[in-house]
Amino acid sequence: AFNTARLGVKSAMLTRVGEEQMGRFVRKTLAENGVDVRAVWLDPENLTPYVLLAVRAIDDFPRIFAYGDAADLAVEEGDVDPHFIASARALLVTGTPLSRAGARAASMKAIRVARDAGTKVAFDLDYRPVFWGVASHEQGGEMFVASEEVTEVYRSVLPGCDLVVGTEEEVRIAGGSTDTHEALRSIRELSGATIVLKVGAMGAIVFPGEIPESLEDGVRV
């Protein structure tokens, strides 16, 4: 939201931040950069979370997610104003809030409202195993841990999407397979969405239709 607003796109965000110095700073900074913060709620009971990131090498960057009862994961259905969602041309939801029942219900409500209003739905798979209790805090940098529960939840979201974006690891959890090609085909069985497979420094491969026999036959960006 921050960067799209700076690029001139009319952007808004729906989330919670803590009613403390960090939360007020985040909300103020978003607003100063052009983000509509009407739906960035101040939560008096939960703290604004943060992540500590260490960069050791290009493929070694451990992370510690300082998340307990975090404000952003305390979002609930009542925070989602249908008129606010319907006013948007596109809605972006991410996978992290799906790890909590209340935030998951809020995300699903937003998707339902968007579909009814003709608003496009984009799903950033954003899989963080630590949030789902399948990795320890020390394993915060772990990108993939197989979980039938996570796959089931992700697959419940896929049919309502117009765009799905994720890394190979995230596509695998959404598709329920450790084979990327098989996972992409599994996603395609559930959703007609354009799929964007992120491949790090090489950019992305886009699959607007059927998944080809070779992933290299996708649209390279």
Side-chain angles (χ1 to χ4, degrees), residues 55-90:
V55 180
R56 293 175 178 163
I58 193 168
D59 57 354
D60 184 15
F61 39 93
R63 288 167 291 186
I64 300 174
F65 289 89
Y67 270 70
D69 293 325
D72 63 335
L73 295 183
V75 169
E76 55 191 31
E77 284 189 78
D79 295 333
V80 180
D81 178 359
H83 298 291
F84 180 73
I85 300 297
S87 71
R89 291 179 62 189

Side-chain angles (χ1 to χ4, degrees), residues 7-145:
L7 289 170
V9 178
K10 191 175 181 182
S11 306
M13 192 165 182
L14 192 161
T15 190
R16 289 190 187 191
V17 294
E19 192 171 0
E20 20 78 344
Q21 293 89 334
M22 178 80 82
R24 287 192 290 271
F25 169 76
V26 169
R27 196 175 191 278
K28 177 173 176 286
T29 303
L30 287 169
E32 288 175 347
N33 283 274
V35 179
D36 182 337
V37 295
R38 284 177 296 166
V40 178
W41 311 108
L42 291 172
D43 188 324
E45 297 182 3
N46 299 293
L47 292 171
T48 307
Y50 58 91
V51 182
L52 296 176
L53 168 68
V55 180
R56 293 175 178 163
I58 193 168
D59 57 354
D60 184 15
F61 39 93
R63 288 167 291 186
I64 300 174
F65 289 89
Y67 270 70
D69 293 325
D72 63 335
L73 295 183
V75 169
E76 55 191 31
E77 284 189 78
D79 295 333
V80 180
D81 178 359
H83 298 291
F84 180 73
I85 300 297
S87 71
R89 291 179 62 189
L91 168 73
L92 170 65
V93 295
T94 77
T96 293
L98 301 178
S99 64
R100 302 292 187 275
R104 183 188 310 166
S107 297
M108 297 305 287
K109 177 182 177 180
I111 291 170
R112 289 195 302 272
V113 171
R115 300 302 299 178
D116 291 343
T119 296
K120 298 293 186 183
V121 177
F123 182 20
D124 177 358
L125 298 175
D126 190 42
Y127 178 43
R128 301 286 182 264
V130 68
F131 289 134
W132 294 84
V134 295
S136 68
H137 289 297
E138 187 178 7
Q139 296 172 304
E142 195 71 39
M143 302 302 290
F144 179 81
V145 177

